[in-house]
Amino acid sequence: MKRRCLVQCLLAVLAISLLPASFEAATLRPVLDIRAPFDQELYDLSYSVFLANGNPKDALAVARKALLARPSDRTWKKKAAQSAEWSGNPTLALAYWLDLVQSGDRIAEDPALRLSRALSEYPARHMLLKKKVTTEKTGPALQKEYLEVTEIMGLPREAYDLLTENKILGVDPVWSFTEQARLAELLGKPEAATAAWEKRAALKPLNPQESLNLASLWYGQGDSLKAFDAMEQSASQAP
């Protein structure tokens, strides 16, 4: 009897109308005409059948209808995100992945970051990168990407603060002091820039251009002797 009911309900679900492409972030509106009441087994089966038959838009419709009944269900949000992307709606997919990230789903971070890059969604990309570099030892590539994005968004002070407060995990100190010096100069903090270059030089000799930058900073602060020393360092490093 239950199997017959499931089949009847599945046939009813096949009458789903397609979803519009827009996404309402604040609320999931009842846009579908699915006559079957929510049943986990039925909806799982319907979703799988649609995907197996190459109908990701209809699978998305099922997922969104399921979320009307269970708005906090992470499994259905993941299905909605996946089927949205497979049906050619990456903006909607990103919205679902971000919702999962906000609810604490770390697995959702990578697909969300991938889509934020593809869509040039800088606020989302910035949020995801900042979360990663401050909670994981991500490596140089993501750390550099984080700095690039913060500067594109006009937030160099945030990056500078995270570096100086050692909140970016697993960072190479040579790279960190180099970026601290560059960002400090960008932010109009010549004394902090000078201090960062000196710390960097203690770890790895400055190249000619970096030595010139340090000399210019010393000269701007009225210390001609230290500026001259930095210039000599630049000359000794020149080919």
Side-chain angles (χ1 to χ4, degrees), residues 93-167:
L94 176 58
Y96 280 118
W97 285 125
L98 289 175
D99 193 17
L100 284 165
V101 170
Q102 295 290 352
S103 68
D105 189 332
R106 299 303 300 265
I107 296 176
E109 291 176 12
D110 285 340
L113 182 56
R114 173 177 53 79
L115 286 173
S116 70
R117 291 177 181 135
L119 296 169
S120 296
E121 288 285 351
Y122 282 100
R125 188 177 171 192
H126 167 258
M127 180 272 291
L128 292 162
L129 287 168
K130 182 179 180 182
K131 183 179 180 65
K132 278 188 169 293
V133 301
T134 57
T135 60
E136 304 174 22
K137 292 184 178 181
T138 56
L142 283 182
Q143 292 164 2
K144 291 177 182 178
E145 184 182 355
Y146 164 71
L147 255 65
E148 291 171 2
V149 171
T150 56
E151 290 188 63
I152 288 172
M153 294 188 65
L155 301 170
R157 181 173 295 278
E158 176 189 283
Y160 176 77
D161 289 343
L162 290 184
L163 284 170
T164 56
E165 295 168 11
N166 297 314
K167 290 184 177 179

